[in-house]
């Protein structure tokens, strides 16, 4: 989304949420190019820390502003690059098959795409490591929330806290637990999609097609029937009596 400074002004001080409904913080500042296009946004997090994000990580919806997590933004970018590399290779192969591109040009572009693909794979590995780290961090938070839930349930059954106090705690803890489970599912899905896209072959091995010539068909001529042998005339000798 391209925003000029005078268009971005209305978002100053607005709250941010993540895709899972958690409060992130507030927009407190921005950075713009000399042409007035905002490219980065300064955010004060709910815990009091500050961080700058590319404006591409923000989704400006009708009634709220969503901050896309960094792990998700990085994964989306790598998947986009992998898709572009695959589409370019397909287009290059199609041009080569149709004879619309010279052999030397085909080899040159193919080598460049191979280098680009290897570079993207290195970046993809780094992103996948961050996704796995995020899954581990989420699982740690889930364990902590489940531990807290067990504690308040035990206190309630033991008669140490009232039902109303338990209800307030349960709603907050269950809400947070659901959000973490939703995020974990999203991270795992993104990791699967990225792994699948990375491992799919981008280059199709091109084999020469050998056209086999069928053996010549030898027509079988029918042998003419032999002509009937010409019968010799029967010679009859008449012997006269003496």
């Amino acid at each position: 989304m391209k925003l000029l400074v005078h268009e971005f002004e209305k978002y100053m001080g607005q709250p941010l949420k993540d895709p899972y409904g958690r409060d992130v913080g507030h927009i407190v500042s921005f950075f713009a190019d000399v042409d007035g296009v905002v490219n980065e946004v300064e955010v004060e997090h709910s815990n009091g820390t500050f961080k700058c994000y590319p404006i591409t990580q923000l989704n400006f919806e009708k009634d709220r502003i969503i901050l896309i997590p960094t792990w998700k933004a990085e994964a989306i970018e790598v998947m986009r690059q992998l898709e572009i590399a695959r589409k370019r290779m397909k287009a290059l192969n199609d041009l080569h098959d149709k004879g619309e591109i010279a052999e030397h040009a085909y080899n040159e572009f193919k080598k460049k795409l191979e280098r680009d693909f290897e570079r993207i794979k290195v970046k993809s590995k780094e992103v996948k490591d961050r996704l796995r780290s995020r899954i581990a961090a989420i699982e740690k938070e889930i364990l902590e929330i489940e531990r807290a839930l067990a504690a308040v349930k035990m206190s309630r059954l033991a008669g140490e806290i009232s039902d109303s106090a338990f209800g307030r705690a349960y709603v907050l803890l269950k809400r947070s637990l659901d959000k973490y489970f939703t995020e974990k599912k999203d991270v795992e899905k993104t990791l699967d999609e990225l792994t699948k896209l990375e491992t799919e072959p981008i280059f199709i091995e091109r084999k020469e097609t050998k056209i086999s010539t069928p053996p010549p068909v030898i027509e079988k001529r029918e042998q003419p029937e032999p002509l009937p042998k010409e019968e010799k005339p029967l010679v009859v000798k008449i012997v006269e009596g003496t």
Side-chain angles (χ1 to χ4, degrees), residues 36-74:
V37 177
V38 178
N39 50 36
E40 291 182 318
V41 177
E42 190 74 27
V43 174
E44 180 188 11
H45 290 275
S46 301
N47 61 1
T49 60
F50 290 79
K51 188 175 179 180
C52 188
Y53 294 92
I55 196 170
T56 52
Q57 273 188 243
L58 273 65
N59 282 343
F60 295 89
E61 299 181 358
K62 186 177 180 180
D63 56 346
R64 60 179 183 167
I65 307 172
I66 304 298
L67 177 65
I68 305 300
T70 301
W71 62 260
K72 190 175 184 69
E74 291 176 342

Side-chain angles (χ1 to χ4, degrees), residues 79-89 113 202:
M79 288 190 286
R80 184 188 69 84
Q81 292 177 7
L82 287 170
E83 284 286 1
I84 290 175
R86 180 167 283 104
K87 288 178 181 179
R88 286 182 178 178
M89 192 61 206
L113 283 171
I202 186 171

Side-chain angles (χ1 to χ4, degrees), residues 1-219:
M1 183 177 183
K2 186 176 180 179
L3 286 174
L4 298 175
V5 172
H6 71 276
E7 296 171 321
F8 187 79
E9 179 184 0
K10 62 184 177 182
Y11 298 114
M12 297 293 293
Q14 292 294 315
L16 291 172
K17 289 185 176 293
D18 68 7
Y20 319 105
R22 292 182 295 233
D23 294 327
V24 175
H26 293 79
I27 297 174
V28 294
S29 186
F30 63 88
F31 301 92
D33 294 333
V34 292
D35 56 359
V37 177
V38 178
N39 50 36
E40 291 182 318
V41 177
E42 190 74 27
V43 174
E44 180 188 11
H45 290 275
S46 301
N47 61 1
T49 60
F50 290 79
K51 188 175 179 180
C52 188
Y53 294 92
I55 196 170
T56 52
Q57 273 188 243
L58 273 65
N59 282 343
F60 295 89
E61 299 181 358
K62 186 177 180 180
D63 56 346
R64 60 179 183 167
I65 307 172
I66 304 298
L67 177 65
I68 305 300
T70 301
W71 62 260
K72 190 175 184 69
E74 291 176 342
I76 290 172
E77 177 60 21
V78 171
M79 288 190 286
R80 184 188 69 84
Q81 292 177 7
L82 287 170
E83 284 286 1
I84 290 175
R86 180 167 283 104
K87 288 178 181 179
R88 286 182 178 178
M89 192 61 206
K90 183 180 183 304
L92 184 64
N93 284 338
D94 290 344
L95 289 172
H96 182 263
D97 291 343
K98 295 175 183 178
E100 297 182 9
I101 187 172
E103 191 70 24
H104 69 87
Y106 169 77
N107 292 329
E108 179 184 343
F109 282 112
K110 183 174 182 291
K111 288 179 181 178
K112 184 180 182 304
L113 283 171
E114 287 173 341
R115 291 193 300 269
D116 290 343
F117 186 63
E118 290 303 316
R119 175 181 53 80
I120 299 170
K121 282 179 67 176
V122 172
K123 190 184 297 183
S124 176
K125 183 182 181 302
E126 295 173 355
V127 172
K128 288 192 297 183
D129 288 342
R130 281 194 279 274
L131 294 178
R132 294 187 185 99
S133 297
R134 182 56 190 163
I135 291 174
I138 292 172
E139 289 175 343
K140 186 177 179 181
E141 293 294 334
I142 288 173
L143 288 174
E144 187 64 27
I145 295 172
E146 290 175 339
R147 180 171 170 269
L149 269 172
V152 294
K153 286 180 179 180
M154 182 175 61
S155 294
R156 179 197 181 194
L157 288 176
E160 297 174 331
I161 60 174
S162 64
D163 288 345
S164 60
F166 168 78
R168 293 193 299 271
Y170 179 83
V171 168
L172 293 172
L173 290 169
K174 186 64 169 60
R175 184 186 302 162
S176 296
L177 189 63
D178 291 343
K179 290 172 182 178
Y180 274 115
F181 273 122
T182 301
E183 183 183 5
K184 182 185 176 185
K185 186 177 179 181
D186 192 15
V187 180
E188 291 172 338
K189 179 183 176 183
T190 304
L191 180 60
D192 290 341
E193 290 175 352
L194 181 56
T195 302
K196 181 181 177 182
L197 194 59
E198 180 189 347
T199 53
E200 284 180 358
I202 186 171
F203 304 111
I204 301 173
E205 294 295 331
R206 316 185 74 75
K207 298 180 180 179
E208 293 183 2
T209 305
K210 295 182 179 180
I211 301 174
S212 56
T213 306
V217 179
I218 302 175
E219 294 184 2

